[in-house]
Amino acid sequence: MEFSRFLDCLAADHDRLRTVVGTDADAPVPTCPGWTVADLTRHVGEVYLHKTAAMRDGAEPEPWPPREFADEAPTALLDRGYTALRAEFATRAPEDPAGTWYGPDQSVGFWIRRMAQETVVHRIDAELATGAPVTAVPDDLAVDGVDELLKVFAGYAVAE
């Protein structure tokens, strides 16, 4: 997939996620045992801010998450995180260097792909939790998700 396509998918899935999480913050998330929609919302916002800081600073931030995040409403954290992530992506090219946990790809493009996949998964988690209709995953993003799972997660983990 082209990086512009990943960014389009990220935007669409974030927008849907943002709509859905505003409907029932206390609902349990069946695909994330022990989490509520508020927990899921906080998680996604923290992930966005973590990747933003890692790209900006050239290293993963420690400790994570900062304590002050606990004082922020989950949807506000999600909004802030998404805004920061998109702004960071806008200042960089996909081939620019960025530290990642995946040795073979140390680029901003890795994070663009990873955040598109992270977001679609958690958008579906939120839809299932709130009883909202589950929006179809575009075929190209779904195929890429299988590729990422097999090559990046399973293949790399086994090789390491």
Side-chain angles (χ1 to χ4, degrees):
M1 281 178 62
E2 295 289 323
F3 289 108
S4 61
R5 177 69 176 134
F6 282 122
L7 290 170
D8 290 346
C9 289
L10 171 62
D13 286 319
H14 164 268
D15 292 351
R16 174 69 174 152
L17 171 70
R18 182 60 178 84
T19 297
V20 172
V21 300
T23 64
D24 191 356
D26 296 326
V29 181
T31 47
C32 301
W35 278 12
T36 64
V37 169
D39 298 324
L40 177 73
T41 305
R42 179 173 301 285
H43 165 76
V44 176
E46 289 173 352
V47 167
Y48 289 165
L49 290 166
H50 183 269
K51 302 322 170 224
T52 300
M55 285 185 286
R56 183 189 60 233
D57 301 338
E60 292 194 30
E62 291 291 332
W64 195 263
R67 267 189 256 226
E68 62 269 16
F69 284 10
D71 298 331
E72 197 165 350
T75 52
L77 190 65
L78 177 65
D79 293 344
R80 184 164 68 88
Y82 182 72
T83 299
L85 182 69
R86 288 307 298 250
E88 197 64 30
F89 285 154
T91 67
R92 302 176 185 280
E95 63 275 5
D96 285 351
T100 75
W101 51 262
Y102 180 59
D105 189 352
Q106 298 291 299
S107 73
V108 170
F110 174 86
W111 290 125
I112 293 171
R113 178 189 196 192
R114 179 84 286 282
M115 291 302 93
Q117 293 294 346
E118 177 92 3
T119 303
V120 71
V121 167
H122 289 317
R123 183 261 296 164
I124 293 168
D125 291 332
E127 289 169 333
L128 292 170
T130 61
V134 175
T135 305
V137 177
D139 290 346
D140 55 346
L141 188 63
V143 169
D144 183 77
V146 172
D147 182 76
E148 184 192 45
L149 176 65
L150 293 175
K151 291 179 182 172
V152 175
F153 287 98
Y156 182 67
V158 169
E160 287 299 301

